[in-house]
Amino acid sequence: MQSFSSIFTKHGFKLWLGNLLGIIITSILSIIAFFILTIMATIFVATTVLGSGLHNAMLGSEALEQQMMEAFSDAGFGLIILCIIAVLTFSLIFSFPIAGSIGMTVESVESNRSRVSSYFKYGFKFLFKMFGYSLLTSFIFIAIEIIFIMVLAMMGINDASSGSMILSVIIFLIIFFLFSISIMHAPVIMMTERTGVFKSIRLSISLLSQAFGKVLGTALLMIPAVIIYYICYAFFMLPDDTAIDPVTKMPDFNVSGMLLMIFIITPLFMTITMLIIVYRYFKHLRSFIRPIYPGGGQGGNPYMPNLQQPYPNPQQPPFTFNPNPMGSIQPPNYQQPNPFQSPPNYQQPNQKPFPSNPFPPQQPH
């Protein structure tokens, strides 16, 4: 297997280009979806308000305020439905660049080739699987946060500086971090091993227990890239409080910095982080899932299958020859036929049998 630097040098530009195209397409689709959802929400609220008879109320009267409250309470359920549709829509849109980036990176590491077309190939092929993975993991993270808030409420912690509050926050951050790194390899497993969403998450969690050091090492290698990315984000994306726009009276944004951040730094960050995860998975972790992969098996022998793994497919050792590829088990008393031995009473076609010997053998003198 090639080194990380050689793969990044050979395929880094194409990986960055694929991520850049994915970000551009995702941004366009997000803007279109935002405008469509905004128009739908405006039409729904306007229809609800006009249907409640507000146009007949006097402006500034108490009846107008009461009817407005009733109208928005009636529109509450519909707005909740629109919010759910918005969450599902944007989750589906953002699943495309993640699937495309991981698929293209897997191809560059596994096959030592990179094609920009592979980004769109894997992006559409694994779109709905990645969408299901995103929804499932989001629900789990939300459940962890709700449990944490309920625990704090039952403990009755009011002082933010108390020792119990600090200990609870530390425990929550540890649980959050462990769960994050436990499902980190699930999308890679889903694409590489062609598994479902639930099975890929289960296999990724099992990697944390089987190779905790390797999984933690992958997460620690990603921390510097994440820190550098957020430093760039704070420098280029956050508004400058010292520069106030004279027209809008709002802090001024660095437009060139925003473009640099969106179209240069973000694709590069995606390329580096995805390559770290995929490269270390193939080098250190895949053998725990597929024993026939070099480095796996029992006792470090890649040719000895591990029956406890999900893919116990034995592989024949090298430099051996199996004369019976369909199986080595033969029926009892089985003899291999001799191709050079003629059957009994054999004679050539259209040939008369040999006549009797006119000179029988004589007794010796």
Side-chain angles (χ1 to χ4, degrees):
M1 186 175 182
Q2 297 185 6
S3 62
F4 179 87
S5 58
S6 62
I7 295 176
F8 181 76
T9 304
K10 183 176 181 180
H11 306 288
F13 177 74
K14 287 187 178 180
L15 293 174
W16 171 84
L17 183 60
N19 289 319
L20 174 62
L21 294 177
I23 290 176
I24 294 174
I25 294 174
T26 303
S27 302
I28 295 174
L29 293 177
S30 300
I31 294 173
I32 295 174
F34 175 77
F35 278 109
I36 293 176
L37 292 172
T38 303
I39 294 173
M40 291 175 59
T42 304
I43 294 175
F44 178 78
V45 172
T47 304
T48 305
V49 170
L50 293 177
S52 61
L54 291 181
H55 56 283
N56 295 326
M58 296 296 294
L59 184 62
S61 62
E62 296 180 359
L64 177 62
E65 182 179 355
Q66 182 178 359
Q67 289 184 8
M68 287 181 63
M69 295 297 295
E70 293 178 356
F72 282 106
S73 63
D74 295 337
F77 180 75
L79 292 177
I80 292 175
I81 298 298
L82 285 176
C83 290
I84 295 175
I85 294 175
V87 171
L88 296 178
T89 302
F90 285 106
S91 298
L92 182 63
I93 291 175
F94 285 103
S95 297
F96 172 76
I98 299 175
S101 179
I102 296 177
M104 189 176 178
T105 308
V106 167
E107 185 180 71
S108 64
V109 175
E110 185 177 24
S111 305
N112 194 22
R113 65 178 183 180
S114 56
R115 298 172 299 180
V116 179
S117 60
S118 299
Y119 186 96
F120 301 93
K121 170 187 173 182
Y122 291 107
F124 287 111
K125 184 176 181 180
F126 293 93
L127 175 63
F128 292 102
K129 280 190 175 182
M130 192 61 63
F131 174 65
Y133 166 80
S134 302
L135 290 182
L136 183 60
T137 53
S138 299
F139 290 150
I140 296 176
F141 279 119
I142 293 174
I144 294 175
E145 294 176 0
I146 293 175
I147 293 174
F148 174 69
I149 295 174
M150 293 175 60
V151 169
L152 292 182
M154 290 186 295
M155 293 175 63
I157 299 175
N158 298 320
D159 188 6
S161 62
S162 63
S164 301
M165 180 68 175
I166 296 175
L167 181 62
S168 301
V169 172
I170 292 175
I171 294 175
F172 170 74
L173 292 177
I174 292 174
I175 295 175
F176 192 86
F177 175 75
L178 290 177
F179 181 73
S180 299
I181 65 175
S182 67
I183 63 174
M184 179 173 53
H185 296 90
V188 183
I189 296 173
M190 183 170 58
M191 294 189 178
T192 306
E193 316 301 339
R194 299 298 191 267
T195 59
V197 177
F198 292 96
K199 189 173 183 178
S200 63
I201 294 177
R202 179 174 59 84
L203 293 176
S204 180
I205 294 175
S206 67
L207 288 179
L208 187 65
S209 59
Q210 298 181 42
F212 178 79
K214 301 296 183 183
V215 176
L216 182 62
T218 303
L220 294 178
L221 287 175
M222 293 177 60
I223 289 178
V226 174
I227 293 175
I228 295 174
Y229 177 77
Y230 280 105
I231 290 176
C232 296
Y233 181 86
F235 184 77
F236 293 115
M237 296 292 289
L238 296 181
D240 188 5
D241 296 333
T242 59
I244 304 298
D245 193 339
V247 178
T248 60
K249 304 300 181 182
M250 297 293 292
D252 193 9
F253 287 90
N254 186 2
V255 179
S256 60
M258 292 176 60
L259 296 177
L260 178 66
M261 184 71 192
I262 295 174
F263 297 108
I264 303 296
I265 299 178
T266 300
L268 181 61
F269 170 76
M270 293 180 62
T271 300
I272 294 175
T273 52
M274 292 299 179
L275 191 57
I276 291 174
I277 296 175
V278 174
Y279 177 80
R280 287 185 59 84
Y281 170 76
F282 275 91
K283 185 175 182 179
H284 300 293
L285 299 173
R286 195 183 186 190
S287 59
F288 291 93
I289 296 178
R290 296 192 64 181
I292 63 174
Y293 191 77
Q298 297 177 352
N301 182 8
Y303 302 104
M304 180 63 68
N306 189 347
L307 299 180
Q308 296 180 356
Q309 299 294 342
Y311 299 97
N313 185 14
Q315 180 172 336
Q316 187 177 348
F319 308 111
T320 60
F321 174 71
N322 185 5
N324 185 12
M326 300 303 295
S328 59
I329 301 177
Q330 301 292 349
N333 301 327
Y334 176 81
Q335 295 181 357
Q336 186 74 19
N338 187 0
F340 302 101
Q341 182 179 1
S342 299
N345 299 326
Y346 175 80
Q347 61 181 6
Q348 294 292 336
N350 301 325
Q351 183 179 2
K352 296 181 180 180
F354 294 103
S356 59
N357 189 2
F359 304 99
Q362 303 293 327
Q363 293 294 333
H365 294 285

